[in-house]
Amino acid sequence: MTHRFLFFVAILVLASSTARAVDFVTEIEPILRDNCFDCHGPNQQESQLRLDRLANMISGGNSGEPAVVPKNPEASYLLKLIRHEEVGKEMPPDESLSPEQVKLIETWIASGAPTPERYGPAEEQADLSHWAFQPVRRFDADGRVSAAGIDDFILQRLRDEGLSLSSAADHRTLIRRLYLVMHGLPPTPGQVEAFIRDDGDDAWRKLVDDVLVSPHYGQRWATFWLDLVRFGETNGFETNRERPNAWRYRDWVIQSLNEDKPYDQFVREQLAGDALGAPIGTGFLVAGPYDLVKGQDPKLGQMQRMNELDDMINTTGTAFLGLTTGCARCHNHKFDPISQRDYYSMQAVFAGVQHGDRALPPSPETKQQIATLDAEIAELTDRLKKFIVEDASKTRPPVSARQNEEVCEKREVRFIRFTIQKTTGGEGCIDELEVYAEGRNVALASSGAKATSSGDFVHPKHKLLHINDGRHGNDRSWIVDSAKGGWVQIELAEPTVIDRVVWGRDRNGQYADRLPIEYRIESAVEAGQWELLASSADRKPFSGGKPSEPEYQFTKFPDAEAMQGETWLKRLQTARDAKKEHEKSRVVVYAGKFSQPGPTHRLYRGEPDAKREQVPPNAIDVFTSLNLSPNAAERERRLALANWIASNDNPFTARVIVNRLWQLHFGTGIVDTPSDFGLNGAPPSHPELLDWLAGELMEHDWSLKHIHRLILNSDTWRQSNRPNADAMRVDAASRLLWRFPPRRLEAEAIRDSVLAVTGVLDLQNAGGPGFSPFEVQMENVRHYHAKKTYGPADWRRMIYMTKVRQEREQVFGAFDCPDASMVVPRRSRSTTPLQALNLLNSQFVMQQADLFAKRLQADSETIPQRITRAWQLCFQRPPTDEELADSKDFIKQEGIGQFTRAILNANEFVFIP
């Protein structure tokens, strides 16, 4: 909200409040020109049109603060500014309105802020004419609604520019391109030859289907999704501690892609999978960085929490909607119709989400196994009842952590000693030892009684003086200094006839540890002449609130019956052990913890302590309403948002994901700002094609593999990458796709391809905890040092490498690997000396070059055969005569090891053709 806008409002108010009609053009506009606006600025006309509306006065400017709240002057931001109550935002900036003018504005607002009709209504419909805000529509290349195809749209645009598609690529290029794009791995020589020999009309379609059903597809394409959702396996920030259970989300993404899970369901499960039977999916919500260190300053803690929620809001907006929702945290969005109120309504959706591990409910199979074991345990327990020995001496209930009463015949005592023989664990603790005589506690220090002990555990909370201070609870308790045999003693003020002793671990019921479960209480009139007053001997065994295990006796039964009973008891114990194992095997995943949140408020300037009105959980108001109450259940909030995002009526979701697929196939999306479809984003190069693909996705059950098939089977995708001078002059970047745009592979595909051609890539060890590229120094603040040696454990696909925030793997990290602390919709493509040095001289590549040499020597007998084998493995083609001759000369001079090192550094090896 600008000073000029608010001063304009003030002048407008004065004009509309006078007795006579004020002409805006002749009287108000000159004042604005002379006092507020730079009328020669490029945005003058835009500013006047925008501000000359009542709706803008009421909704406020970019700050999100309503300038005018009719009938509520004190809530009107305008008054604060013209009273000069906002430092640095005074209105007007160089002078003050008179008290009479301020009072007049206040009176006007209190009366309902009436304005002339030409200033429009108090509320206006947002302008949703932007292409991405419109519903998805299906067009053909001529603008008619029909079932066109990809090539129709591409050819129409090429013709408009005087261009055409290139000829089809040869078979070897196509299969290499297909495997590198879809799997991130080169095809084997056998796969290449099989495709070349297949002269059937459907050979290509069959190959595409084979590629899509391979598990390598999900492993490849999950990499890009994990970039997009800022997935990492450490927390980041100063300590950068590991998240040992985060990998399950990575595996869930891979599995979802391989299963071709409908994309709308994929979206829902990441926002509310705990409500949809896919609890691992919510790993999306907490995939980002998390500051583990919480400071003493409450405001800092509030800001940390705001940042956590901002991460969830921004990632949800950019990943699924292609909208920069995070830009509305401190003010209304500068470009898109997203208000600050919308932002905090989305914050209310996620307000109950906390970072952390969560134990997942048992699987249906595990539930069934536990139910079967429960039935067996119940049956065996019933059969064994006749073998139970009843101990008549155990008449009293087990010890209680809250309170225990020891009743005795009346006797005269001066000393009471409580000896602890066994506890539930650790040194015994008692919060109060009470001795009663005719209903009065005579053990109180205030009554003259004195406490002594065999020794006290040193702790600021637990002291001997607490044992008889008349106060209960853990904070007023005493702990003995030994786990067994220690005692506490009360000496009464005088010999007294007593009838009971009362004691407990924690009368408030918050703690049950260190509970004495075997003890004896003795009394004496003269010191040292002890007599037993009470003990735990007649209490039933302590079982922590669970039924105690009965004692079985088989000797008094006939041999056959006794043997049967012993067999049942063994089976019972086996069943119980099996049940414990099943219960212990519950899966834990870093997928967030959920709790019912409190109220959410809009925050002025995003400051945690500058709360404004409370907001309900909601999405972006101009597009939808979730119709939730402010106190809606936590899970209901996320599910409602998920259902809107994944709806066929949502104009963004389908467009955004098909654009991402297009980008990953061709290097650039139809919209080349893939996470910003708003007014500040780039327009689509082929808008009708984008909508056609989005429609295809939704009409085919949101199948991503269906979109892949459409793209892969198009002539556009299968054309040659050869340059053309005339076309280059028109479209040097190949944006219009007159050829297939070649590009370098990503870091993961380069590393995986090296391992594949050397023959050591471990494709069987897929999923599970990742392998680390670092030697980790396990201090409070983790230190990550590059590995010096590599072995088979490191030869898995790179997607299974533990993603450490703020660190890059020393060899392939240089190839534009993104930091997992940030959302990355599109990786940068740099060319640096470090990349060349790493690929040529690193320990990893030199080791792989040696392994490659050994493979070639094992596979082939002669030098020409080895060269040909290397070309087939690395480039999917035989060498030319010139390449063969040069390679023979090189090997003769430098050896086979240097040859393999050189070939792994070839441009052809690391490029998608």
Side-chain angles (χ1 to χ4, degrees):
M1 180 181 296
T2 65
H3 294 168
R4 295 169 179 170
F5 162 48
L6 292 172
F7 188 72
F8 159 72
V9 175
I11 297 299
L12 174 61
V13 171
L14 291 173
S16 62
S17 302
T18 54
R20 66 179 181 82
V22 178
D23 185 81
F24 179 83
V25 174
T26 62
E27 298 181 77
I28 303 301
E29 191 171 55
I31 299 175
L32 296 176
R33 182 177 62 245
D34 295 341
N35 294 278
C36 300
F37 287 103
D38 174 10
C39 288
H40 302 289
N43 295 322
Q44 175 207 359
Q45 184 177 8
E46 179 185 349
S47 297
Q48 288 181 349
L49 290 170
R50 174 175 167 266
L51 299 179
D52 196 9
R53 309 297 299 170
L54 174 61
N56 289 328
M57 302 178 207
I58 292 176
S59 65
N62 289 329
S63 71
E65 296 289 293
V68 174
V69 181
K71 299 186 178 181
N72 190 349
E74 294 308 311
S76 299
Y77 192 49
L78 171 63
L79 278 179
K80 294 180 181 179
L81 299 184
I82 63 176
R83 290 171 179 166
H84 289 198
E85 295 174 357
E86 290 283 328
V87 178
K89 293 184 175 290
E90 295 85 354
M91 269 282 305
D94 301 323
E95 56 187 277
S96 299
L97 297 180
S98 68
E100 292 78 13
Q101 290 172 319
V102 173
K103 182 63 178 176
L104 185 57
I105 292 174
E106 183 178 342
T107 302
W108 170 75
I109 294 174
S111 67
T115 54
E117 289 185 6
R118 56 197 175 96
Y119 291 100
E123 294 185 17
E124 290 184 333
Q125 292 292 325
D127 181 6
L128 300 181
S129 59
H130 179 60
W131 67 268
F133 302 161
Q134 295 293 306
V136 172
R137 297 182 64 189
R138 295 288 297 274
F139 297 97
D140 66 10
D142 296 320
R144 300 183 300 254
V145 177
S146 73
I150 288 173
D151 296 326
D152 295 331
F153 295 104
I154 298 298
L155 283 167
Q156 180 62 57
R157 182 68 196 278
L158 288 173
R159 292 190 193 106
D160 292 344
E161 301 294 335
L163 301 173
S164 62
L165 290 175
S166 297
S167 59
D170 64 82
H171 278 44
R172 291 184 182 276
T173 297
L174 279 178
I175 188 171
R176 174 172 169 77
R177 180 188 300 172
L178 178 65
Y179 273 81
L180 290 178
V181 169
M182 299 307 295
H183 288 178
L185 294 169
T188 65
Q191 290 168 329
V192 173
E193 294 308 314
F195 174 58
I196 291 173
R197 287 195 302 269
D198 189 343
D199 56 2
D201 294 338
D202 61 347
W204 176 253
R205 292 183 181 275
K206 287 193 301 182
L207 187 63
V208 167
D209 287 342
D210 289 344
V211 163
L212 287 172
V213 299
S214 167
H216 305 323
Y217 157 72
Q219 293 164 356
R220 162 71 165 165
W221 286 76
T223 299
F224 306 121
W225 186 259
L226 298 180
D227 281 358
L228 184 64
V229 302
R230 81 286 185 229
F231 170 78
E233 294 174 80
T234 63
N235 286 327
F237 291 94
E238 180 184 3
T239 57
N240 209 11
R241 295 283 191 88
E242 57 281 340
R243 294 178 182 173
N245 298 308
W247 60 267
R248 296 186 190 279
Y249 172 74
R250 173 248 290 155
D251 282 3
W252 177 86
V253 171
I254 294 172
Q255 181 181 357
S256 297
L257 294 176
N258 278 330
E259 292 175 350
D260 198 21
K261 180 177 291 182
Y263 182 71
D264 59 341
Q265 187 67 13
F266 184 62
V267 171
R268 288 188 180 95
E269 290 177 0
Q270 292 182 79
L271 293 169
D274 54 314
L276 300 169
I280 297 177
T282 59
F284 160 82
L285 296 172
V286 292
Y290 173 65
D291 195 349
L292 191 66
V293 180
K294 307 300 180 185
Q296 298 293 324
D297 183 0
K299 188 171 182 179
L300 174 61
Q302 290 176 325
M303 187 59 71
Q304 287 174 315
R305 179 59 179 157
M306 292 300 104
N307 291 340
E308 291 167 19
L309 294 172
D310 180 71
D311 175 64
M312 299 177 202
I313 295 164
N314 186 57
T315 307
T316 298
T318 55
F320 299 130
L321 301 173
L323 292 176
T324 54
T325 49
C327 292
R329 177 177 178 178
C330 302
H331 50 72
N332 293 340
H333 201 290
K334 297 283 188 181
F335 304 101
D336 299 332
I338 306 172
S339 69
Q340 194 189 27
R341 183 179 175 88
D342 291 334
Y343 175 91
Y344 286 99
S345 291
M346 290 185 71
Q347 188 186 90
V349 171
F350 299 116
V353 182
Q354 298 282 348
H355 275 259
D357 286 322
R358 189 172 82 245
L360 303 186
S363 65
E365 296 79 9
T366 301
K367 284 183 179 178
Q368 181 58 50
Q369 289 167 340
I370 291 175
T372 301
L373 289 168
D374 280 337
E376 183 180 2
I377 290 168
E379 180 184 355
L380 292 169
T381 301
D382 186 63
R383 291 180 181 180
L384 287 164
K385 281 182 179 178
K386 64 180 179 180
F387 298 103
I388 294 175
V389 177
E390 297 291 343
D391 188 348
S393 66
K394 306 284 187 180
T395 58
R396 291 203 296 157
V399 170
S400 167
R402 277 182 175 270
Q403 180 173 301
N404 303 281
E405 187 175 62
E406 316 288 348
V407 179
C408 61
E409 294 182 0
K410 290 183 179 182
R411 67 170 71 181
E412 185 179 48
V413 304
R414 179 71 184 272
F415 302 93
I416 298 290
R417 176 177 287 189
F418 190 111
T419 301
I420 301 172
Q421 297 170 310
K422 184 179 179 181
T423 70
T424 53
E427 298 85 353
C429 180
I430 300 175
D431 71 346
E432 191 75 10
L433 185 58
E434 302 166 355
V435 181
Y436 285 90
E438 297 181 350
R440 182 171 65 92
N441 181 9
V442 296
L444 290 169
S446 59
S447 298
K450 299 176 181 178
T452 57
S453 75
S454 61
D456 308 321
F457 184 83
V458 179
H459 191 280
K461 279 187 179 180
H462 308 285
K463 302 176 181 178
L464 179 62
L465 61 86
H466 293 164
I467 197 71
N468 63 335
D469 63 354
R471 298 170 68 181
H472 301 146
N474 183 67
D475 289 350
R476 304 297 301 183
S477 62
W478 163 81
I479 298 179
V480 70
D481 70 349
S482 57
K484 181 178 180 181
W487 51 263
V488 64
Q489 178 177 301
I490 304 292
E491 180 183 355
L492 304 181
E494 58 184 1
T496 306
V497 176
I498 68 166
D499 55 14
R500 63 192 173 102
V501 174
V502 178
W503 65 278
R505 159 64 180 94
D506 178 9
R507 237 63 72 90
N508 293 337
Q510 294 181 343
Y511 292 86
D513 60 329
R514 302 178 180 271
L515 173 64
I517 54 176
E518 292 183 12
Y519 60 88
R520 68 177 186 275
I521 302 174
E522 298 165 297
S523 65
V525 177
E526 299 291 337
Q529 299 178 5
W530 298 108
E531 295 181 358
L532 186 65
L533 186 147
S535 75
S536 57
D538 59 346
R539 287 190 180 276
K540 293 180 180 179
F542 176 80
S543 57
K546 300 177 183 178
S548 58
E549 183 65 27
E551 181 181 347
Y552 297 101
Q553 187 178 70
F554 303 104
T555 55
K556 65 179 181 179
F557 291 89
D559 291 346
E561 198 170 346
M563 189 178 297
Q564 180 66 74
E566 290 171 349
T567 300
W568 287 339
L569 184 58
K570 288 178 182 177
R571 284 177 53 193
L572 177 62
Q573 190 57 52
T574 300
R576 285 174 174 167
D577 290 344
K579 182 181 176 182
K580 286 179 183 178
E581 287 300 314
H582 282 302
E583 291 173 338
K584 282 196 305 183
S585 66
R586 293 183 67 181
V587 172
V588 175
V589 60
Y590 196 91
K593 297 179 289 186
F594 309 116
S595 60
Q596 184 64 23
T600 299
H601 296 83
R602 183 175 64 85
L603 302 181
Y604 176 51
R605 299 180 187 172
E607 296 289 341
D609 54 357
K611 292 182 179 179
R612 295 299 191 257
E613 74 276 9
Q614 183 179 347
V615 296
N618 207 351
I620 303 170
D621 186 61
V622 298
F623 298 119
T624 191
S625 173
L626 301 183
N627 297 314
L628 296 172
S629 68
N631 60 350
E634 190 280 329
R635 179 183 288 184
E636 182 184 356
R637 302 174 185 211
R638 290 181 289 111
L639 188 58
L641 178 64
N643 285 335
W644 171 66
I645 291 177
S647 166
N648 282 27
D649 296 329
N650 189 302
F652 304 104
T653 310
R655 283 181 174 131
V656 168
I657 189 58
V658 297
N659 185 68
R660 295 195 193 282
L661 298 186
W662 190 270
Q663 169 195 318
L664 296 170
H665 276 283
F666 295 103
T668 305
I670 296 172
V671 177
D672 66 4
T673 52
S675 286
D676 188 358
F677 275 40
L679 292 164
N680 202 38
S685 60
H686 300 77
E688 295 86 0
L689 172 59
L690 182 65
D691 272 20
W692 184 82
L693 288 169
E696 280 288 316
L697 178 71
M698 291 186 286
E699 289 178 13
H700 289 81
D701 196 26
W702 294 78
S703 167
L704 298 183
K705 288 188 178 182
H706 173 70
I707 303 301
H708 283 303
R709 286 189 178 91
L710 291 174
I711 294 172
L712 293 170
N713 286 309
S714 69
D715 291 340
T716 303
W717 195 92
R718 291 184 293 171
Q719 65 183 319
S720 168
N721 66 7
R722 296 288 183 183
N724 176 293
D726 294 335
M728 293 284 283
R729 281 191 287 271
V730 176
D731 178 25
S734 307
R735 186 83 169 84
L736 302 180
L737 298 176
W738 53 269
R739 67 165 178 160
F740 184 89
R743 62 188 185 275
R744 193 186 66 202
L745 288 167
E746 302 81 10
E748 291 85 350
I750 296 174
R751 183 183 189 274
D752 293 350
S753 295
V754 168
L755 293 171
V757 300
T758 61
V760 298
L761 179 62
D762 183 358
L763 294 174
Q764 302 305 312
N765 193 5
F771 65 97
S772 178
F774 302 103
E775 295 173 357
V776 186
Q777 194 172 341
M778 301 293 284
E779 298 179 357
N780 179 49
V781 175
R782 300 292 196 255
H783 299 287
Y784 297 89
H785 306 287
K787 273 188 173 179
K788 297 181 176 62
T789 60
Y790 304 91
D794 304 300
W795 297 341
R796 299 167 66 187
R797 294 206 69 172
M798 193 170 169
I799 193 170
Y800 299 115
M801 179 185 290
T802 301
K803 289 181 73 71
V804 178
R805 299 185 202 278
Q806 304 166 187
E807 302 285 348
R808 281 186 171 180
E809 192 271 344
Q810 67 164 346
V811 179
F812 297 94
F815 289 86
D816 305 306
C817 267
D819 185 348
S821 298
M822 300 178 294
V823 169
V824 180
R826 180 173 59 190
R827 294 190 184 187
S828 59
R829 294 183 197 142
S830 65
T831 302
T832 69
L834 184 59
Q835 294 167 352
L837 289 170
N838 283 358
L839 208 56
L840 185 66
N841 296 327
S842 67
Q843 179 63 36
F844 180 89
V845 174
M846 291 178 69
Q847 179 191 42
Q848 292 303 314
D850 289 341
L851 291 170
F852 192 15
K854 291 176 182 176
R855 178 181 186 181
L856 296 179
Q857 290 168 333
D859 288 355
S860 308
E861 295 182 358
T862 68
I863 295 297
Q865 288 174 339
R866 290 168 186 169
I867 295 169
T868 301
R869 180 67 169 163
W871 243 257
Q872 290 170 336
L873 287 167
C874 292
F875 310 137
Q876 288 68 58
R877 65 178 179 85
T880 64
D881 292 343
E882 183 179 3
E883 289 168 337
L884 183 61
D886 288 344
S887 297
K888 288 167 63 177
D889 291 342
F890 184 86
I891 293 173
K892 184 177 181 180
Q893 293 178 18
E894 304 294 339
I896 188 71
Q898 292 302 316
F899 167 75
T900 54
R901 186 178 173 195
I903 204 169
L904 293 177
N905 279 266
N907 276 348
E908 187 174 352
F909 181 66
V910 297
F911 263 75
I912 298 173

